[in-house]
Amino acid sequence: MALLFRAYFATAVTGQFMINSKGIPTNAIHGFVKHFFTAIDHFNPSHVAVCWDMGSKTFRNEMYPDYKANRSEAPVELMPQFDIVKEVVESFDIPNIGVVGFEADDCIGTIAKKMKGSAHVTILTGDQDILQLLDDHISVALVKKGYGNYLVHTPNSFFEEKGIEPKQMIDLKALMGDTSDNYPGVKGIGEKTALKLLQNHLHIEGILENLVSLTKGQRTKIEADLDMLHLSRKLAEIKCDVPVDCLLEESIYRIAPDKAIAKFRELEFKHFDTLVQHKNEVLA
């Protein structure tokens, strides 16, 4: 989803929707495919799966109705591309994964945790929330501006940047909130203060056990927003027990050129034909 939206807005801002002869906009799909193949070239994975959000409402909305309520409806030109991009992924013989009531991140977290015993997992995303999943067997490649630009995080690089462990990011977001996802955390506690509190006290429980050692301002803010602090932590944590599975043998990266090329021609994408053929020659 992060790649699809990124691809859409990169061209929509100048009105380049790439409307084909059937009147269907394809700019987001085209950009997604370009991101996909660029990442395949860069990381050379043996197995690939793609996870999607399955609607705007999840279990987090049941806990907090205002969760992501600040986000507007998807642009009309993007709407038809949601289903078609999944058809493109299917034409690559790559699993499309999503579970109603959960976010793509929850599916990613569940699969990554299941797979890490048998493979090293690299998660490609534009969403920093997923950094909480980092461990010795899970890396996160954050997509930066343009194509082929990645910031690859490991637990060590994350600690060097933030001064906390990846799992502490859940508590970091609980304290400072998330304007993108529309939950406030503790009003008046920003990232700098939240990081310092976690470096000193490890987690929210440690902070609450040592309230008397905090400054008067910090203590007052936390006590005033205690319920929201606990709720924000639940909202921030990626669920890793979603009812979803992805078997290694089902996700081997091996595109059947004819099937993929037929889908590209249907969408009137021209230059991806040779790209698919070349990649299979390299794999062979």
Side-chain angles (χ1 to χ4, degrees):
M1 275 326 228
L3 298 184
L4 188 71
F5 273 86
R6 181 182 291 263
Y8 174 82
F9 286 109
T11 50
V13 67
T14 56
Q16 299 175 40
F17 298 114
M18 293 181 62
I19 298 173
N20 64 20
S21 63
K22 301 182 183 73
I24 300 171
T26 58
N27 62 320
I29 303 166
H30 188 277
F32 172 89
V33 172
K34 189 174 178 181
H35 273 301
F36 176 88
F37 282 129
T38 302
I40 293 293
D41 272 346
H42 187 93
F43 295 102
N44 191 30
S46 58
H47 299 69
V48 181
V50 181
C51 293
W52 304 100
D53 292 330
M54 301 295 286
S56 59
K57 300 296 182 184
T58 69
F59 73 94
R60 292 181 177 87
N61 297 98
E62 295 175 9
M63 290 195 294
Y64 184 57
D66 287 336
Y67 182 74
K68 293 189 177 181
N70 55 333
R71 300 192 183 186
S72 57
E73 290 291 324
V76 64
E77 294 87 358
L78 180 57
M79 295 292 282
Q81 301 188 61
F82 287 132
D83 289 335
I84 298 173
V85 73
K86 292 174 188 173
E87 294 173 8
V88 172
V89 171
E90 186 179 352
S91 78
F92 297 165
D93 289 325
I94 289 172
N96 279 308
I97 295 168
V99 179
V100 174
F102 298 93
E103 296 181 42
D105 284 359
D106 301 313
C107 295
I108 291 170
T110 299
I111 293 168
K113 294 293 185 181
K114 286 182 178 179
M115 290 288 190
K116 71 175 189 175
S118 53
H120 184 89
V121 179
T122 299
I123 301 169
L124 180 70
T125 182
D127 189 349
Q128 295 199 33
D129 292 354
I130 219 154
L131 291 170
Q132 65 184 261
L133 298 176
L134 286 167
D135 67 21
D136 291 340
H137 302 283
I138 301 174
S139 301
V140 174
L142 294 175
V143 181
K144 310 305 286 184
K145 188 174 181 179
Y147 291 92
N149 299 317
Y150 311 104
L151 176 60
V152 179
H153 266 301
T154 63
N156 287 340
S157 67
F158 180 84
F159 184 83
E160 288 174 7
E161 180 180 315
K162 298 289 188 184
I164 59 175
E165 301 294 333
K167 64 182 180 181
Q168 290 177 280
M169 188 172 179
I170 304 168
D171 290 344
L172 176 66
K173 292 193 66 182
L175 286 162
M176 61 182 284
D178 188 322
T179 55
S180 175
D181 288 342
N182 200 46
Y183 58 88
V186 176
K187 293 186 180 71
I189 298 287
E191 182 175 19
K192 185 177 179 180
T193 299
L195 284 171
K196 186 176 180 180
L197 290 171
L198 291 172
Q199 288 161 2
N200 291 337
H201 304 291
L202 300 181
H203 41 60
I204 285 175
E205 290 79 8
I207 294 170
L208 296 179
E209 289 169 2
N210 291 278
L211 280 176
V212 293
S213 68
L214 306 187
T215 67
K216 182 180 178 181
Q218 291 169 350
R219 185 168 64 249
T220 300
K221 291 169 184 173
I222 291 171
E223 288 175 339
D225 268 335
L226 201 54
D227 288 343
M228 182 52 72
L229 174 63
H230 290 302
L231 177 57
S232 294
R233 194 188 190 287
K234 292 178 181 177
L235 295 172
E237 185 172 14
I238 292 173
K239 281 187 68 66
C240 294
D241 58 356
V242 172
V244 65
D245 208 350
C246 179
L247 302 178
L248 275 176
E249 56 266 29
E250 294 175 350
S251 58
I252 295 172
Y253 179 67
R254 181 77 182 186
I255 292 178
D258 292 347
K259 192 174 175 182
I261 289 170
K263 177 56 69 174
F264 289 151
R265 289 178 178 170
E266 177 188 327
L267 293 172
E268 300 170 17
F269 293 167
K270 297 178 181 177
H271 70 278
F272 286 137
D273 291 16
T274 54
L275 194 61
V276 170
Q277 291 170 329
H278 170 68
K279 289 188 183 306
N280 277 274
E281 289 167 3
V282 170
L283 285 169

